[in-house]
């Protein structure tokens, strides 16, 4: 999940992340080959890192996460599909949480719900998309660059907005506990 971004947060250069990921995937492929297995390797890149990912060709299924702007998601998805190698597929990571910055919502529940349907429609119309894996978060609070951010997770949103859970179910996501 977001290997370049994880490296960035850990002080590891993009080239070293690419080297480590290449070694890890090659080791998995060698193991599979030695044991008669054929494991698909999936990766999710951070939105701002997916275009610069030098090792995209290693993976069978590639996705990225980007929230708050369906137009950006659609544009980047169109681009990713256009650069996939033969046999590669795409996964999509819909936003299934509401983010609040200093107690001010960035998104409304109805916006997030509409985005879920947008992802679903996109996936249904692009045969390269093989999975929708919503990012649901639990309720979490963190401080990022001086802003207090609070994420209201899908499980908790659906307590106040049953139609949100209905949207998740409509696109084929199992009920949240």
């Amino acid at each position: 999940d977001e290997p370049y971004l994880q490296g960035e947060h850990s002080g590891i250069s993009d080239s070293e992340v690419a080297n480590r990921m290449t070694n890890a995937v090659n080791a998995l492929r060698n193991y599979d080959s030695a044991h008669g297995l054929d494991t698909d390797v999936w990766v999710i890149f951070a939105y701002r890192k997916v275009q610069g990912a030098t090792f995209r060709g290693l993976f069978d299924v590639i996705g990225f996460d980007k929230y708050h702007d369906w137009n950006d998601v659609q544009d980047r998805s169109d681009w990713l599909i256009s650069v996939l190698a033969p046999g590669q597929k795409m996964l999509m990571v819909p936003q299934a949480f509401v983010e609040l910055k200093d107690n001010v919502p960035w998104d409304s529940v109805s916006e997030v719900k509409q985005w879920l349907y947008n992802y679903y429609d996109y996936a249904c119309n692009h045969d390269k998309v093989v999975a929708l894996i919503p990012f649901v978060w639990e309720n979490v609070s963190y401080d990022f660059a001086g802003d207090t951010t609070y994420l209201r997770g899908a499980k908790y949103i659906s307590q106040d907005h049953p139609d949100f859970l209905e949207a998740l179910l409509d696109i084929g996501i199992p009920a949240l506990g």
Side-chain angles (χ1 to χ4, degrees):
D1 185 32
E2 299 183 343
Y4 282 124
L5 193 60
Q6 296 299 328
E8 185 178 294
H9 289 278
S10 300
I12 301 169
S13 70
D14 284 358
S15 61
E16 180 59 21
V17 169
N19 184 48
R20 290 180 186 188
M21 290 299 296
T22 300
N23 290 339
V25 172
N26 287 338
L28 177 63
R29 300 268 190 229
N30 290 337
Y31 178 87
D32 277 6
S33 179
H35 294 87
L37 302 172
D38 185 22
T39 304
D40 283 345
V41 182
W42 296 33
V43 66
I44 299 170
F45 290 105
Y47 171 81
R48 63 185 175 90
K49 294 287 192 173
V50 68
Q51 283 184 299
T54 59
F55 56 94
R56 280 191 313 266
L58 291 172
F59 300 96
D60 301 295
V61 182
I62 301 171
F64 63 89
D65 39 21
K66 166 70 173 140
Y67 309 120
H68 311 297
D69 189 333
W70 170 249
N71 292 328
D72 280 353
V73 170
Q74 187 171 4
D75 291 346
R76 189 63 50 100
S77 297
D78 290 344
W79 169 83
L80 182 56
I81 286 174
S82 77
V83 300
L84 290 174
Q88 279 185 314
K89 300 290 184 182
M90 181 179 156
L91 68 98
M92 299 185 83
V93 185
Q95 174 180 342
F97 60 88
V98 172
E99 186 168 355
L100 295 94
K101 296 273 190 188
D102 295 321
N103 289 323
V104 177
W106 269 28
D107 321 300
S108 69
V109 171
S110 62
E111 283 177 307
V112 175
K113 187 173 105 174
Q114 181 57 53
W115 295 336
L116 290 172
Y117 287 117
N118 291 349
Y119 276 91
Y120 178 75
D121 289 343
Y122 190 95
C124 287
N125 289 298
H126 293 83
D127 62 349
K128 289 277 193 177
V129 179
V130 295
L132 292 174
I133 304 173
F135 202 85
V136 297
W137 279 98
E138 287 292 321
N139 283 353
V140 65
S141 180
Y142 64 93
D143 187 5
F144 183 73
D147 292 328
T148 300
T149 300
Y150 179 74
L151 303 175
R152 184 152 166 77
K155 177 179 177 181
Y156 303 96
I157 294 170
S158 62
Q159 290 172 351
D160 299 328
H161 301 273
D163 57 321
F164 188 78
L165 179 58
E166 186 177 302
L168 285 169
L169 294 172
D170 284 348
I171 68 168
I173 307 306
L176 303 169

